[in-house]
Amino acid sequence: MEGYDASTYGERWADIYDDWYDDPVEVAQIVAFVGGLAGDPADGGPILELGIGTGRLALGLAAAGYDVRGIDASTAMVDRLRAKPGGEAIPVTIGDMATVVVPPPTDLGAVDGGADRGRRCRGVFVASNTFFGLSTEAEQRACLARVVEVLEPGGWFVVAAFVPGD
């Protein structure tokens, strides 16, 4: 699609995203589901959210004691996350999720997408059809390959997506 890149969605929707997706029950259910997969917050590595956006899920996981980190292509979305209580404490990589970089734990701001690619995490998730922001099969495959590389042994990957009926 001409004129569209990894940051376009977030740049266009950041101002109203939280209004459109303001469903505390859904957020609580997703946080509980991801927390159930992750187990005890003290066990294992970080949890990585692809397309962390405004942090509607990450903030709940962080409040539950998880080391949650994120990647997002949109600085406007991450600015919204940073403006929320606790948002500045969540490490975020500004970059295309096709390249999947796990932000370091000590960086409280955005990091360069070329940062240390050797970090691992206990689980990776992507919510609300965000995976389909990767508009080509090649980008989707690149993302999946990087997810495999960053997962700890026994790690998990969850994609929430709408599947249309017949």
Side-chain angles (χ1 to χ4, degrees):
M1 196 179 326
E2 200 170 312
Y4 187 91
D5 66 21
S7 68
T8 303
Y9 176 88
E11 297 302 309
R12 292 181 181 169
W13 286 85
D15 290 342
I16 61 170
Y17 184 85
D18 287 332
D19 294 331
W20 278 59
Y21 294 97
D22 182 25
D23 185 344
V25 172
E26 178 191 36
V27 170
Q29 290 171 337
I30 295 169
V31 167
F33 176 78
V34 172
L37 289 174
D40 188 324
D43 297 336
I47 298 169
L48 178 66
E49 182 176 4
L50 305 180
I52 194 169
T54 65
R56 72 185 189 100
L57 303 175
L59 289 167
L61 288 163
Y66 291 99
D67 175 1
V68 61
R69 305 177 194 180
I71 184 169
D72 204 286
S74 169
T75 56
M77 293 289 262
V78 175
D79 287 346
R80 292 285 188 170
L81 164 65
R82 296 280 176 249
K84 295 177 182 178
E88 288 191 24
I90 297 176
V92 177
T93 295
I94 298 295
D96 188 339
M97 69 181 176
T99 61
V100 184
V101 174
V102 181
T106 56
D107 186 1
L108 299 181
V111 296
D112 182 331
D116 176 13
R117 296 174 62 88
R119 294 184 188 87
R120 311 278 309 258
C121 49
R122 75 168 91 187
V124 177
F125 73 100
V126 56
S128 303
N129 287 315
T130 303
F131 185 74
F132 299 112
L134 299 171
S135 59
T136 68
E137 181 179 344
E139 290 171 328
Q140 293 170 0
R141 287 180 178 273
C143 177
L144 295 173
R146 277 296 297 150
V147 166
V148 169
E149 291 175 20
V150 302
L151 283 175
E152 295 175 349
W156 46 267
F157 178 51
V158 173
V159 176
F162 170 75
V163 180
D166 289 338

